[in-house]
Amino acid sequence: KNQVEQSPQSLIILEGKNCTLQCNYTVSPFSNLRWYKQDTGRGPVSLTIMTFSENTKSNGRYTATLDADTKQSSLHITASQLSDSASYICVVAGGGNKLTFGTGTQLKVEL
Amino acid sequence: NAGVTQTPKFQVLKTGQSMTLQCAQDMNHEYMSWYRQDPGMGLRLIHYSVGAGITDQGEVPNGYNVSRSTTEDFPLRLLSAAPSQTSVYFCASSYSGTAASTDTQYFGPGTRLTVL
């Protein structure tokens, strides 16, 4: 069964600190892995998309890594800001032309 | 570009009522899809379309109908609303619908539906 597991479920950090969110998947065959940011009451917004051959990709203060051998990905947020407070969703494409969504990590950045 | 728009933003229905959730995009995307998002669960695909006149079922299609008469619009119809359909509904579009594609998928702002 295709699954995407994210950890932690929720996280609180102080503004200016860094944090790393984890994503483990069992989707096979693998096509690509996506990270989305979803603000409360809004639709998800794409942050990065990585294929099998890419092991790191950045979008401003967001850096995603991919280890296709261990089927793990991480999203690192540098110098967090209050506006980073959101749910971060890992999505894996593959397994029969499907997208499998994780349940998200809820991040809160506090002063 | 307005991107992906959805109406209404909020809706309350009584059990058995029908309604249509509207979705439109102005990016000339061929692929459009509907998802529902429930607490503690990942987004689940309801129906999708790879172009005008072509639709197909997703993971959770029961109780929903779709049609695609134009490239821009992809309405979702609830035939007879049930409390189990209480959820947040998102419409999305992308240039390509192939999972292997790295085209960005754009989501609308969502419709929060409550069925009493």
Side-chain angles (χ1 to χ4, degrees), chain A:
Chain A
K1 181 182 178 183
N2 293 327
Q3 283 189 312
V4 174
E5 302 284 343
Q6 293 188 243
S7 62
Q9 196 170 24
S10 62
L11 181 64
I12 301 174
I13 62 173
L14 294 177
E15 187 181 31
K17 297 297 186 183
N18 303 336
C19 68
T20 300
L21 314 180
Q22 300 291 342
C23 173
N24 295 340
Y25 62 92
T26 59
V27 176
S28 182
F30 173 87
S31 292
N32 57 71
L33 186 144
R34 313 165 184 205
W35 283 94
Y36 288 86
K37 178 187 179 190
Q38 184 177 20
D39 293 319
T40 300
R42 311 287 287 269
V45 174
S46 179
L47 292 176
T48 63
I49 302 175
M50 288 184 294
T51 61
F52 183 89
S53 60
E54 297 172 299
N55 55 22
T56 186
K57 203 157 194 178
S58 293
N59 179 355
R61 294 179 297 101
Y62 300 101
T63 299
T65 64
L66 173 65
D67 186 335
D69 291 332
T70 62
K71 298 187 177 181
Q72 295 179 326
S73 176
S74 65
L75 181 68
H76 186 75
I77 304 174
T78 303
S80 61
Q81 300 176 358
L82 295 178
S83 59
D84 292 330
S85 295
S87 177
Y88 291 84
I89 302 172
C90 176
V91 184
V92 180
N97 200 34
K98 293 181 181 178
L99 296 178
T100 303
F101 288 78
T103 55
T105 291
Q106 189 67 44
L107 174 66
K108 185 174 183 181
V109 181
E110 294 183 337
L111 288 172

Side-chain angles (χ1 to χ4, degrees), chain B:
Chain B
N1 283 353
V4 180
T5 58
Q6 292 184 237
T7 57
K9 193 165 180 61
F10 300 95
Q11 183 70 50
V12 179
L13 292 177
K14 294 181 179 178
T15 297
Q17 287 184 317
S18 63
M19 78 159 296
T20 299
L21 280 63
Q22 301 292 342
C23 173
Q25 52 88 14
D26 61 358
M27 297 173 280
N28 203 32
H29 286 165
E30 291 296 325
Y31 185 82
M32 296 185 73
S33 52
W34 277 101
Y35 294 89
R36 59 178 290 173
Q37 186 175 41
D38 300 296
M41 302 184 73
L43 276 80
R44 292 182 292 169
L45 181 65
I46 304 171
H47 284 285
Y48 64 95
S49 169
V50 298
I54 307 169
T55 64
D56 206 346
Q57 296 181 349
E59 182 185 354
V60 288
N62 292 342
Y64 307 95
N65 269 0
V66 292
S67 59
R68 183 98 179 267
S69 56
T70 67
T71 299
E72 294 78 20
D73 301 297
F74 190 43
L76 178 72
R77 281 182 288 276
L78 278 69
L79 309 173
S80 178
S84 61
Q85 293 179 304
T86 294
S87 187
V88 182
Y89 292 85
F90 289 101
C91 178
S93 77
S94 59
Y95 182 75
S96 167
T98 308
S101 165
T102 55
D103 292 328
T104 298
Q105 187 174 32
Y106 296 88
F107 285 83
T111 294
R112 185 174 295 273
L113 175 68
T114 301
V115 183
L116 302 175

